[in-house]
Amino acid sequence: MGQDRGKYDFYIGLGLAISSSIFIGGSFILKKKGLLRLARKGQCRAGQGGHAYLKECLWWAGLLSMAAGEGANFAAYAFAPATLVTPLGALSVLVSAVLSSYFLTERLNLHGKLGCLLSILGSTTMVIHAPKEEEINSLDHMARKLVDPGFLVFATFVIIVALIFIVVVGPRHGQTNIMVYITICSVIGALSVSCVKGLGIAIKEAIAGRPVVGNPLAWVLLLGLVACVSTQINYLNKALDIFNTSLVTPIYYVFFTTSVLSCSAILFKEWEHMAAADVIGTLSGFLTIIVGIFLLHAFKDLNVSLSTLAVSIRKDERSGPAANGVTTHGSYELLHNDSTERDLEEREVGLPFDSLSRRNGAMTA
C-alpha cells in the first residue's frame, strides 16, 4: 500500500508540475503584452522603476496566470521531490517560446524548434533518473534540516549574493546586463522552494489533524515565501520590460533550476544514495536542457527553416563544395534574402551573445 501511495503521489505531482509550466509560460506572454501596451502609451516603465503596470489589465491577467501556475507548483512540491518538479519547468520555456512567436511576433526558427525538442528530451531523462529525496514527514524533522550547518552556510551565501546584486550591481548594470535581475530571481528562488516544501508538509499535517497553526516554523516559512516571491516578481518584471521574452525565460530557467537542485541536494541529501548511472543520467539530462535552451535563444536572429535549408542544400549541390570550408555567397542569400551585403558582414562579425544586450527585441550597439 505504501508503494501504491507513492506512485499515486508521483503522478499527482507530475500532473501538477506540467499544468504549472503551462500557466507560467502563458503568464510571461500576458505580462509582456501589458508592459508593451504601457510603453506605447508613454507610461513610466518597470525597468525604470515605474509601477504603472499595476493599472494594466493584461499584466494582472498574467499575474493571475502565474499565481495559478505557482499554486500548482506549490502543490507539486508537496507530492513529489524537487528534482522531479523543477526540471519540468522547461515546459514553461517551450510554452513561452511558442506563444511569443504567435502573439509577440518573436520568430521561432529551426534552431529554436530543435532547442524545444532537446529541452523535452532532457527533462524526460532527468525525471527518469531523478534522485529520491529523504522522507520528511513532520515540521519537526523539517526544522532539524533547516538548522543543518551545510544548509545554513548555503542560505547565508544566497542572501549575501542577492543583497550585493540588489544594492550594488543592480543600479549600475541592471539596465544593460540581462544576468543581473535574473540572478537575483534565481538565487532567491532556491530559498522559496525550500519554504514551499516546508509549507506543503505543514498542510499535510493539518489535513491529518495535527496542530500546525501554533507551530512558529509554519509562520516563518510563510513569511519567507511571501518575501521571496515578492522579490522574484519585482525583478522578473524589470527583466521582462527591458529584455526580450525569449531570452529572459530560458536563461531564468537554467539559473533557477541550478539553484534549486543545489539547494535540494544540500537540504534533503538527495544525492547521497544515488547509483552512478542515475547521477550520470541526471547530469546528462540537465546538460541536454541547457544545450536546448542555448539553441533556443543564441541563434534566434537567423532566418533558418526546413524549407530554406532544403533549398540551400540543393543550391550547394549545384554550385559544388566551397573551397577551404568557406560557404558560397548563394547560400547566404538564401538564408538572409532580406539582408544587404553590408548587413551580412556585420552579422558575421557580431557574436551570437550580442542579443543579450537587446531591449525589447531591438539590437543595441
Side-chain angles (χ1 to χ4, degrees), residues 5 7 61 158 160-161 163 189 208 216 224 250 261 278 307 321 331 333 365:
R5 181 65 182 176
K7 291 181 180 179
V158 164
I160 291 175
V161 170
L163 289 176
L261 291 180
D278 290 332
S307 58
S331 62
E333 289 179 343

Side-chain angles (χ1 to χ4, degrees), residues 138-319:
S138 65
L139 284 177
D140 293 335
H141 193 185
M142 184 70 181
R144 292 194 296 271
K145 288 289 184 183
L146 291 175
V147 296
D148 183 79
F151 179 74
L152 289 177
V153 171
F154 175 81
T156 303
F157 174 77
V158 164
I159 293 173
I160 291 175
V161 170
L163 289 176
I164 290 175
F165 271 76
I166 291 172
V167 177
V168 179
V169 183
R172 297 179 181 178
H173 306 289
Q175 298 287 324
T176 56
N177 193 327
I178 193 174
M179 305 304 300
V180 175
Y181 293 144
I182 291 180
T183 300
I184 297 172
C185 296
S186 301
V187 297
I188 294 297
L191 298 181
S192 69
V193 168
S194 302
C195 296
V196 165
K197 191 68 179 177
L199 287 175
I201 295 171
I203 292 174
K204 282 187 173 182
E205 285 195 333
I207 294 175
R210 300 172 187 170
V212 174
V213 179
N215 193 325
L217 179 60
W219 295 103
V220 170
L221 292 173
L222 180 60
L223 293 176
L225 179 63
V226 171
C228 291
V229 171
S230 301
T231 304
Q232 287 179 271
I233 291 176
N234 181 39
Y235 287 98
L236 188 58
N237 274 332
K238 293 184 178 183
L240 284 172
D241 184 50
I242 297 171
F243 303 101
N244 195 291
T245 308
S246 59
L247 295 177
V248 173
T249 308
I251 296 175
Y252 175 62
Y253 166 78
V254 172
F255 276 72
F256 175 74
T257 305
T258 303
S259 300
V260 171
L261 291 180
S262 301
C263 181
S264 298
I266 295 172
L267 181 60
F268 301 113
K269 307 294 191 297
E270 296 173 338
W271 300 77
E272 288 186 352
H273 306 291
M274 288 181 64
D278 290 332
V279 172
I280 295 174
T282 302
L283 295 177
S284 299
F286 185 54
L287 290 176
T288 303
I289 294 174
I290 293 177
V291 172
I293 297 299
F294 176 78
L295 287 175
L296 187 62
H297 79 269
F299 302 102
K300 182 180 181 297
D301 295 323
L302 294 181
N303 184 19
V304 181
S305 63
L306 287 176
S307 58
T308 58
L309 186 62
V311 173
S312 177
I313 292 174
R314 289 196 296 269
K315 179 69 176 180
D316 289 339
E317 289 177 351
R318 290 195 299 267
S319 301

Side-chain angles (χ1 to χ4, degrees), residues 89-133:
L91 296 179
S92 66
V93 178
L94 273 61
V95 172
S96 178
V98 172
L99 292 180
S100 64
S101 66
Y102 285 99
F103 297 104
L104 298 178
T105 64
E106 296 178 2
R107 187 171 49 197
L108 184 65
N109 59 12
L110 182 61
H111 292 87
K113 294 174 182 177
L114 290 176
C116 291
L117 178 61
L118 286 175
S119 298
I120 294 176
L121 294 177
S123 298
T124 304
T125 303
M126 287 197 70
V127 169
I128 293 173
H129 295 281
K132 304 300 179 183
E133 66 183 7

